[in-house]
Coordinates of all heavy atoms in Angstrom, one line a residue:
V21 N 19.8 -10.6 11.1 CA 19.9 -12.1 11.0 C 20.3 -12.6 12.4 O 21.1 -12.1 13.1 CB 21.2 -12.4 10.0 CG1 21.3 -14.0 10.1 CG2 20.8 -11.8 8.7
V22 N 19.4 -13.6 12.8 CA 19.6 -14.1 14.2 C 20.2 -15.6 14.0 O 19.6 -16.4 13.3 CB 18.3 -14.2 14.8 CG1 18.4 -14.8 16.3 CG2 17.7 -12.8 15.1
A23 N 21.2 -15.8 14.7 CA 21.8 -17.1 14.8 C 21.7 -17.7 16.2 O 22.5 -17.3 17.1 CB 23.3 -17.1 14.3
P24 N 20.8 -18.5 16.5 CA 20.5 -18.9 17.9 C 21.3 -20.1 18.3 O 20.8 -21.1 18.7 CB 19.0 -19.3 17.9 CG 18.8 -19.8 16.4 CD 19.7 -19.0 15.6
H25 N 22.6 -20.0 18.2 CA 23.5 -21.1 18.5 C 23.9 -21.0 20.1 O 25.0 -20.7 20.4 CB 24.8 -21.1 17.8 CG 24.5 -21.0 16.2 ND1 23.7 -21.9 15.5 CD2 24.9 -20.0 15.4 CE1 23.8 -21.5 14.3 NE2 24.4 -20.4 14.2
F26 N 23.0 -21.3 21.0 CA 23.1 -21.0 22.3 C 24.3 -21.9 23.0 O 24.9 -21.6 23.9 CB 21.8 -21.3 23.1 CG 20.8 -20.3 22.8 CD1 19.7 -20.7 22.1 CD2 20.9 -18.9 23.0 CE1 18.7 -19.8 21.7 CE2 20.1 -18.0 22.7 CZ 18.8 -18.4 22.0
L27 N 24.3 -23.1 22.4 CA 25.3 -24.1 22.9 C 26.4 -24.4 21.9 O 27.1 -25.4 22.0 CB 24.6 -25.5 23.3 CG 23.5 -25.2 24.3 CD1 22.8 -26.6 24.6 CD2 24.1 -24.8 25.7
G28 N 26.6 -23.6 21.0 CA 27.6 -23.8 20.0 C 27.0 -24.5 18.7 O 25.8 -25.0 18.8
E29 N 27.8 -24.7 17.7 CA 27.4 -25.4 16.5 C 28.0 -26.7 16.5 O 29.3 -26.8 16.9 CB 27.7 -24.6 15.2 CG 26.6 -23.6 14.8 CD 25.3 -24.4 14.3 OE1 25.4 -25.2 13.3 OE2 24.4 -24.3 15.0
R30 N 27.5 -27.7 15.9 CA 28.1 -29.1 15.8 C 29.5 -29.0 15.0 O 30.3 -29.6 15.5 CB 27.1 -30.0 15.1 CG 27.4 -31.4 15.2 CD 26.5 -32.3 14.5 NE 25.1 -31.9 14.8 CZ 24.0 -32.1 14.2 NH1 24.0 -32.5 12.9 NH2 22.8 -31.7 14.7
H31 N 29.4 -28.2 13.9 CA 30.7 -28.2 13.2 C 31.6 -27.2 13.8 O 32.9 -27.2 13.4 CB 30.4 -27.8 11.6 CG 29.8 -26.3 11.6 ND1 28.5 -26.0 11.9 CD2 30.4 -25.2 11.2 CE1 28.3 -24.7 11.7 NE2 29.4 -24.1 11.4
N32 N 31.2 -26.3 14.7 CA 32.1 -25.4 15.3 C 31.5 -25.1 16.8 O 30.8 -24.1 17.0 CB 32.1 -24.0 14.5 CG 33.2 -23.0 15.1 OD1 33.7 -23.3 16.1 ND2 33.4 -21.8 14.5
P33 N 31.9 -25.8 17.7 CA 31.5 -25.6 19.2 C 31.7 -24.3 19.7 O 31.1 -23.8 20.7 CB 32.2 -26.7 19.8 CG 32.7 -27.7 18.9 CD 32.9 -26.9 17.6
A34 N 32.7 -23.5 19.1 CA 33.0 -22.2 19.7 C 32.1 -21.1 19.1 O 32.2 -19.9 19.4 CB 34.5 -21.9 19.4
E35 N 31.3 -21.5 18.1 CA 30.3 -20.5 17.5 C 29.0 -20.4 18.1 O 28.3 -21.3 18.3 CB 30.1 -20.9 16.0 CG 29.2 -19.9 15.2 CD 28.9 -20.3 13.9 OE1 29.8 -21.0 13.3 OE2 27.8 -20.1 13.4
F36 N 28.9 -19.3 18.8 CA 27.7 -19.0 19.7 C 26.7 -18.0 19.0 O 27.1 -17.5 18.0 CB 28.0 -18.6 21.1 CG 28.8 -19.5 21.9 CD1 30.2 -19.5 22.0 CD2 28.1 -20.6 22.4 CE1 30.8 -20.5 22.7 CE2 28.7 -21.6 23.1 CZ 30.1 -21.6 23.3
G37 N 25.6 -17.9 19.6 CA 24.6 -17.0 19.1 C 24.9 -15.5 18.8 O 25.8 -15.0 19.4
S38 N 24.3 -14.9 17.9 CA 24.5 -13.6 17.5 C 23.3 -13.0 16.8 O 22.5 -13.7 16.3 CB 25.8 -13.4 16.7 OG 25.6 -14.1 15.4
I39 N 23.3 -11.8 16.7 CA 22.3 -11.0 15.9 C 23.2 -10.0 15.2 O 23.9 -9.3 15.7 CB 21.3 -10.2 16.8 CG1 20.5 -11.1 17.6 CG2 20.4 -9.4 15.9 CD1 19.5 -10.5 18.6
T40 N 23.0 -10.1 13.8 CA 23.9 -9.1 13.0 C 22.9 -8.3 12.0 O 21.8 -8.8 11.8 CB 24.9 -9.9 12.0 OG1 24.2 -10.8 11.3 CG2 25.9 -10.6 12.9
G41 N 23.3 -7.2 11.7 CA 22.5 -6.4 10.6 C 21.4 -5.7 11.4 O 20.5 -5.2 10.7
I42 N 21.5 -5.5 12.7 CA 20.4 -4.9 13.4 C 20.7 -3.3 13.4 O 21.8 -2.9 13.6 CB 20.3 -5.4 14.9 CG1 18.9 -4.9 15.5 CG2 21.5 -5.1 15.7 CD1 18.6 -5.7 16.8
T43 N 19.7 -2.5 13.2 CA 19.8 -1.1 13.3 C 18.6 -0.6 14.2 O 17.8 -1.3 14.6 CB 19.5 -0.5 11.9 OG1 18.1 -0.7 11.5 CG2 20.5 -1.0 10.8
L44 N 18.7 0.6 14.6 CA 17.8 1.2 15.5 C 16.4 1.2 14.7 O 15.4 0.8 15.4 CB 18.1 2.7 15.7 CG 17.2 3.4 16.8 CD1 17.3 2.7 18.1 CD2 17.6 4.8 16.9
E45 N 16.3 1.4 13.5 CA 15.0 1.4 12.8 C 14.5 -0.1 12.7 O 13.3 -0.4 12.9 CB 15.1 1.9 11.5 CG 13.8 1.9 10.6 CD 12.6 2.6 11.4 OE1 12.8 3.6 12.1 OE2 11.5 2.0 11.2
S46 N 15.3 -1.0 12.4 CA 14.9 -2.5 12.2 C 14.4 -3.0 13.4 O 13.5 -3.8 13.5 CB 15.8 -3.3 11.5 OG 17.0 -3.5 12.2
F47 N 15.1 -2.7 14.5 CA 14.7 -3.2 15.9 C 13.6 -2.4 16.5 O 12.5 -2.9 16.8 CB 15.9 -3.2 16.8 CG 15.6 -3.8 18.2 CD1 15.4 -5.1 18.3 CD2 15.5 -2.9 19.3 CE1 15.2 -5.6 19.5 CE2 15.2 -3.5 20.5 CZ 15.0 -4.8 20.7
C48 N 13.7 -1.1 16.6 CA 12.8 -0.2 17.4 C 11.5 0.0 16.4 O 10.4 0.2 17.0 CB 13.5 1.0 17.7 SG 14.6 0.7 19.0
G49 N 11.7 0.1 15.2 CA 10.5 0.5 14.4 C 9.4 -0.5 14.5 O 8.3 0.0 14.8
S50 N 9.7 -1.7 14.3 CA 8.6 -2.8 14.3 C 8.0 -2.9 15.8 O 6.8 -3.0 16.0 CB 9.1 -4.1 13.9 OG 9.5 -4.1 12.7
I51 N 8.9 -3.0 16.8 CA 8.4 -3.1 18.2 C 7.7 -1.9 18.6 O 6.7 -1.9 19.2 CB 9.7 -3.4 19.0 CG1 10.2 -4.8 18.8 CG2 9.3 -3.2 20.6 CD1 11.5 -5.1 19.4
R52 N 8.2 -0.7 18.2 CA 7.6 0.5 18.6 C 6.1 0.6 18.1 O 5.2 0.9 18.8 CB 8.3 1.8 18.0 CG 7.7 3.1 18.4 CD 8.5 4.1 17.7 NE 7.8 5.4 18.2 CZ 8.3 6.6 17.9 NH1 9.6 6.7 17.4 NH2 7.8 7.7 18.3
R53 N 6.0 0.3 16.8 CA 4.6 0.2 16.2 C 3.6 -0.8 17.0 O 2.5 -0.4 17.2 CB 4.7 0.0 14.7 CG 5.2 1.1 13.9 CD 5.0 0.9 12.4 NE 5.8 -0.2 11.9 CZ 7.1 -0.2 11.5 NH1 7.7 0.9 11.6 NH2 7.7 -1.3 11.2
E54 N 4.2 -2.0 17.3 CA 3.3 -2.9 17.9 C 3.0 -2.4 19.3 O 1.9 -2.7 19.7 CB 4.0 -4.3 17.9 CG 3.2 -5.4 18.4 CD 1.9 -5.5 17.6 OE1 1.8 -5.2 16.4 OE2 0.9 -6.1 18.2
I55 N 4.0 -2.0 20.0 CA 3.7 -1.5 21.4 C 2.6 -0.4 21.3 O 1.7 -0.4 22.1 CB 4.9 -1.1 22.0 CG1 5.7 -2.2 22.4 CG2 4.6 -0.2 23.4 CD1 7.2 -1.8 23.0
E56 N 2.8 0.5 20.4 CA 1.8 1.6 20.3 C 0.5 1.1 20.0 O -0.6 1.5 20.5 CB 2.2 2.6 19.2 CG 3.4 3.5 19.7 CD 3.9 4.5 18.7 OE1 3.6 4.1 17.4 OE2 4.5 5.5 18.9
R57 N 0.3 0.1 19.2 CA -0.9 -0.5 18.8 C -1.6 -1.3 20.0 O -2.8 -1.1 20.2 CB -0.8 -1.4 17.6 CG -2.0 -2.0 16.9 CD -1.8 -2.9 15.9 NE -1.4 -4.2 16.4 CZ -2.2 -5.1 16.9 NH1 -3.4 -4.9 17.1 NH2 -1.8 -6.3 17.3
Q58 N -0.7 -2.1 20.6 CA -1.2 -2.8 21.7 C -1.8 -2.0 23.0 O -2.8 -2.3 23.5 CB -0.1 -3.8 22.3 CG 0.2 -4.9 21.5 CD -0.8 -6.0 21.4 OE1 -1.5 -6.2 22.4 NE2 -1.0 -6.8 20.4
F59 N -1.1 -0.9 23.3 CA -1.4 0.0 24.4 C -2.2 1.1 24.0 O -2.7 1.9 24.8 CB -0.2 0.3 25.2 CG 0.4 -0.8 25.9 CD1 1.5 -1.4 25.3 CD2 -0.1 -1.3 27.0 CE1 2.1 -2.6 25.9 CE2 0.5 -2.4 27.7 CZ 1.6 -3.0 27.1
D60 N -2.3 1.5 22.6 CA -3.0 2.6 22.1 C -2.5 3.9 22.7 O -3.2 4.8 23.2 CB -4.6 2.5 22.4 CG -5.4 3.4 21.6 OD1 -4.9 3.8 20.5 OD2 -6.4 3.8 22.0
L61 N -1.2 3.9 22.8 CA -0.5 5.0 23.3 C 0.8 5.3 22.6 O 1.3 4.3 22.0 CB 0.0 4.9 24.8 CG -1.1 4.8 25.8 CD1 -0.6 4.3 27.2 CD2 -1.9 6.1 26.1
P62 N 1.2 6.5 22.5 CA 2.4 6.9 21.7 C 3.6 6.4 22.5 O 3.6 6.6 23.7 CB 2.3 8.3 21.4 CG 1.6 8.9 22.5 CD 0.6 7.8 22.8
L63 N 4.7 5.8 21.9 CA 5.9 5.5 22.5 C 6.9 6.5 22.0 O 7.3 6.6 20.9 CB 6.3 4.1 22.1 CG 7.6 3.5 22.7 CD1 7.6 3.5 24.3 CD2 8.0 2.2 22.1
E64 N 7.5 7.2 22.9 CA 8.7 8.1 22.7 C 10.0 7.6 22.9 O 10.3 7.0 24.0 CB 8.5 9.4 23.5 CG 7.3 10.1 23.2 CD 7.1 11.3 24.0 OE1 8.2 11.9 24.5 OE2 6.0 12.0 24.2
I65 N 10.9 7.7 21.8 CA 12.3 7.3 22.1 C 13.1 8.5 22.1 O 13.1 9.3 21.2 CB 12.7 6.3 20.9 CG1 11.9 5.1 20.9 CG2 14.2 6.0 21.0 CD1 12.2 4.1 19.7
R66 N 13.8 8.7 23.3 CA 14.4 9.9 23.5 C 15.8 10.0 22.8 O 16.4 8.8 22.6 CB 14.6 10.1 25.1 CG 13.4 10.1 25.8 CD 12.6 11.5 25.6 NE 11.4 11.5 26.3 CZ 10.7 12.6 26.2 NH1 11.1 13.6 25.5 NH2 9.6 12.6 26.8
S67 N 16.2 11.0 22.5 CA 17.6 11.2 21.9 C 18.8 11.2 22.8 O 19.9 11.1 22.4 CB 17.6 12.6 21.1 OG 17.4 13.7 22.0
V68 N 18.5 11.3 24.1 CA 19.6 11.3 25.1 C 20.1 9.8 25.2 O 19.2 8.8 25.1 CB 19.2 11.9 26.5 CG1 19.0 13.4 26.3 CG2 18.0 11.2 27.0

Side-chain angles (χ1 to χ4, degrees):
V21 176
V22 178
H25 310 302
F26 300 112
L27 300 174
E29 267 294 294
R30 191 174 314 147
H31 68 279
N32 183 0
E35 183 180 327
F36 292 102
S38 65
I39 300 174
T40 59
I42 193 166
T43 65
L44 185 61
E45 180 55 37
S46 65
F47 181 72
C48 292
S50 297
I51 291 175
R52 178 181 180 171
R53 285 189 297 275
E54 187 57 26
I55 289 171
E56 288 177 336
R57 190 182 75 74
Q58 287 284 330
F59 293 99
D60 196 27
L61 292 170
L63 177 65
E64 294 181 23
I65 298 176
R66 300 293 179 173
S67 60
V68 295

